[in-house]
Amino acid sequence: MIGIVINLISTRVGNVKYINDSLSRNKKFKIIYICQLNENSFKLLKDEHNKHNNIYFELASKQSLSSCKNQGIDFFKKKQEIDYIWFLDDDCYIDKNIANKLCTKLLNPRIDCFVIKILSKDKKIIGRNLSYLKYLPFFAKYITGGPSIIIKKRSIKQNFDLEFGYGGHTINAEDTKFMIDNNFKNIELLGDIFIYHPYEQTTVDRIKNYSYGQGYMYKKIPNIDFIIFSILTLYRPIIGILFNIIKLDFKKVKFYFFRIYYFFRGVKSSVGIKNSHY
């Protein structure tokens, strides 16, 4: 059985109905919404959606994305019937037929982490193309996270680091840090399973924050992991700078420069701050 953890914020309460409609009838799922809401909104939400016995709601103990995910882990660790935990975003959507197919795939008890694709509504890949993980699953811990990962509950040795994700020192990279901290050995790509996620326009501010969070993992993870992660993160902006200098497209050069510059700002900031998983 799969336990789904959803960090729910106030602007996305309207998505609860759509998520429940696609998952609530399948009794192989249990869902816990960790709600970053005020008490009145939380009560109204529970009253509106209390008809499903496989869906639960809890108020967030902290206004922190990683804390909410940890709260969900703790909730499902108390439920013996749960074998896997999936950290689904509150703006994602999965087709009912795909959800049913997913349940038939999670049969291999040796697998620590299953990886699925994320697509936009017009079925374009969001994030990295994960196809090569079929042949090189080792790299999954460096390039996957969030709604892409479904984790065997017994394989979780460390919770999410509170320094990462919204509410922490940096607003992102909590999933990558979690994957590296746990160092899942056996990983499998489910190539025919996917979820839909809204496409987010890439902005300079988003790139700055994203790159800073990636660099901030320096001194937080083993050196060999950071070296591999840095290569996978930086080779594309380096190539992008060289290619666009040749094209005289200095707007794109500046864009790729920020990817590298803020990465190393994150590296600098990471020194001297300890990990915090609770």
Side-chain angles (χ1 to χ4, degrees), residues 35-57:
C35 306
Q36 296 193 49
L37 308 174
N38 62 50
E39 290 191 11
N40 287 336
S41 298
F42 177 70
K43 185 177 183 303
L44 289 172
L45 180 68
K46 284 187 67 177
D47 290 344
E48 183 179 355
H49 298 282
N50 64 358
K51 59 184 177 180
H52 305 292
N53 58 13
N54 61 335
I55 295 176
Y56 309 87
F57 298 88

Side-chain angles (χ1 to χ4, degrees), residues 188-204:
E188 181 178 325
L189 174 68
L190 302 179
D192 58 345
I193 304 294
F194 59 88
I195 58 170
Y196 295 109
H197 191 288
Y199 174 77
E200 295 180 342
Q201 185 67 38
T202 301
T203 65
V204 171

Side-chain angles (χ1 to χ4, degrees), residues 9-154:
I9 60 175
S10 59
T11 56
R12 294 177 180 167
V13 168
N15 293 345
V16 170
K17 180 182 183 303
Y18 299 104
I19 296 171
N20 290 352
D21 284 348
S22 63
L23 295 170
S24 62
R25 292 174 183 263
N26 190 322
K27 299 309 177 184
K28 291 188 177 181
F29 294 107
K30 287 186 182 289
I31 305 172
I32 176 70
Y33 289 93
I34 308 298
C35 306
Q36 296 193 49
L37 308 174
N38 62 50
E39 290 191 11
N40 287 336
S41 298
F42 177 70
K43 185 177 183 303
L44 289 172
L45 180 68
K46 284 187 67 177
D47 290 344
E48 183 179 355
H49 298 282
N50 64 358
K51 59 184 177 180
H52 305 292
N53 58 13
N54 61 335
I55 295 176
Y56 309 87
F57 298 88
E58 284 189 2
L59 269 175
S61 61
K62 294 181 181 179
Q63 300 297 301
S64 156
L65 175 57
S66 287
S67 176
C68 288
K69 290 183 176 182
N70 290 343
Q71 191 172 331
I73 291 173
D74 293 341
F75 177 85
F76 283 126
K77 278 187 174 179
K78 298 172 185 175
K79 296 192 175 295
Q80 293 184 352
E81 69 273 20
I82 297 299
D83 302 303
Y84 300 95
I85 297 180
W86 183 13
F87 305 99
L88 192 64
D89 287 355
D90 58 359
D91 56 351
C92 285
Y93 171 78
I94 183 168
D95 180 87
K96 292 179 184 179
N97 294 327
I98 296 295
N100 292 336
K101 184 186 290 188
L102 171 62
C103 293
T104 69
K105 297 282 186 178
L106 307 188
L107 299 175
N108 189 340
R110 296 188 307 103
I111 301 300
D112 298 307
C113 175
F114 291 94
V115 179
I116 62 176
K117 294 182 292 185
I118 305 176
L119 304 179
S120 64
K121 287 187 177 180
D122 55 357
K123 295 199 173 181
K124 292 182 180 178
I125 293 173
I126 291 180
R128 299 256 192 165
N129 188 329
L130 303 177
S131 298
Y132 71 86
L133 293 182
K134 184 175 181 180
Y135 310 100
L136 297 168
F138 167 77
F139 289 106
K141 64 179 177 178
Y142 305 111
I143 65 171
T144 61
S148 283
I149 57 174
I150 302 172
I151 309 295
K152 186 165 69 175
K153 185 174 71 173
R154 287 186 299 162

